[in-house]
Amino acid sequence: MIPLPLARIAEITSGALSGMADPRAVVRGPVVIDSRAVEPGSLFVAIKGARVDGHDYAAQAIRAGAVAVLATRPVEAPAVIVPDAAAALAALAAAQVRALPKVTVIGVTGSAGKTGTKDLLARLTGRIGPAIAPVGSFNNELGHPLTVLRADADTRFMVLELAARNIGHIKDLTRIAPPQIGVVLNVGTAHLGVFGGKEAIAKAKGELVEALPRTGVAVLNADDPLVRAMATRTDARVTYFGRGESAAIRAEGVVLDARGRASFTLRTPSGSAHVSLKLYGAHAVDNALAAAAAGYELGLPVATIAAELSEATPRSRWRMEVTDRADGVTVINDAYNANPDSMRAAFEAFEVLGRGRRRFAVIAALRELGDDGPALNAELGRLAGGAGLAGLIVAGPDAEPVLQGAHAAAQAATTARALPPPPG
């Protein structure tokens, strides 16, 4: 972060110094909410959670080298006392962005694929200048400002992932770091029960393009009608990515190898280049196109974009991690925050990767789907049951609809195999 004295942090956050805090003491970062991540020069933000209260770790943070604690009540440590720690964290991050007038903020949202696209964009922007991006999925009211506060005076790009658990969440995040480029991937069924329908999800995701300035660029998925319609919600210039001819940045001739990795021709208004992804699954093509479209808007040559996409490997854990064991077993770990769309993509990749081998799946029922939960979990079960698995384990609560769907699909497949072929 940009170094700040405690007096300035108190001013930005409308806080008061406490616990013998020296107003001249300088915080140089990082800003953290986990006392185990404290380094010399840190600011420790004490967050009170459902099970753990960060205030209980204030003294430990100071011993580890923190300059002070951002807290909501007095602690046995130098502190800046604020009414709301999360709001103070957001205010501090927003002030840091205002101090970096030359930084370009790129926001990425969508029901699925945010993290993969963010990781690809971090690689592409890194070819132009110093860039920061969230670690894993730091994409909410805490992770977003924590990522922003990693920037320093040399940072040229912030690639930020924006998640929404309700209407207005993305709008709030864009106020912290106003984007110049907004990438919208898709509108799916993640958190369907919270929003109540895909139209409401589209409304929430579209808050990203509404936040763009007239001089900005909205990068939209031409293949998703609800995303394409967001063009009417922004004054920014609009460009499209996708697989159809209407997309300015598109993939042509997509083929998958025996390991489920895609190759295609990347077509742009200024030329084309061949891409061979090391990432698994056909859905990685859409993430690559989104990243390519944003990179193209930043002026990267198509050959450079294609080369970087072809060399990219997963940066974030538990997203299509493929491990080939010495005993011949292949383990696919796609366990992070599953939703119906990501599970469908995972099973499609699973079918390719495990072809000709005994395959087992360990999954859990999907949550936050509202009244559609049982039907969508039954559909998840049918995907699993129709994938030719040797075994399926469903962990955790609400497993029954998944198992019922899996049994139904497996029985249907068995019946189909037993039927005589039609007369020819």
Side-chain angles (χ1 to χ4, degrees), residues 384-411:
L389 300 175
L392 173 67
I393 299 171
V394 183
D398 302 324
E400 189 61 30
V402 182
L403 291 170
Q404 289 175 348
H407 284 306
Q411 289 173 355

Side-chain angles (χ1 to χ4, degrees), residues 30-43:
V31 179
V32 299
I33 59 174
D34 186 337
S35 61
R36 295 168 296 184
V38 167
E39 299 175 13
S42 287
L43 177 68

Side-chain angles (χ1 to χ4, degrees), residues 269-289:
S270 60
S272 60
H274 181 73
V275 175
S276 292
L277 295 176
K278 294 181 179 179
L279 305 171
Y280 293 93
H283 62 286
V285 175
D286 303 307
N287 298 347
L289 288 174

Side-chain angles (χ1 to χ4, degrees), residues 324-338:
D324 292 314
R325 299 190 341 181
D327 60 359
V329 173
T330 298
V331 178
I332 305 170
N333 186 346
D334 193 49
Y336 188 87
N337 198 23

Side-chain angles (χ1 to χ4, degrees), residues 26-60:
V26 176
V27 172
R28 302 183 183 278
V31 179
V32 299
I33 59 174
D34 186 337
S35 61
R36 295 168 296 184
V38 167
E39 299 175 13
S42 287
L43 177 68
F44 174 60
V45 183
I47 300 293
K48 189 179 187 307
R51 292 189 295 270
V52 177
D53 188 344
H55 295 81
D56 297 337
Y57 297 88
Q60 177 180 320

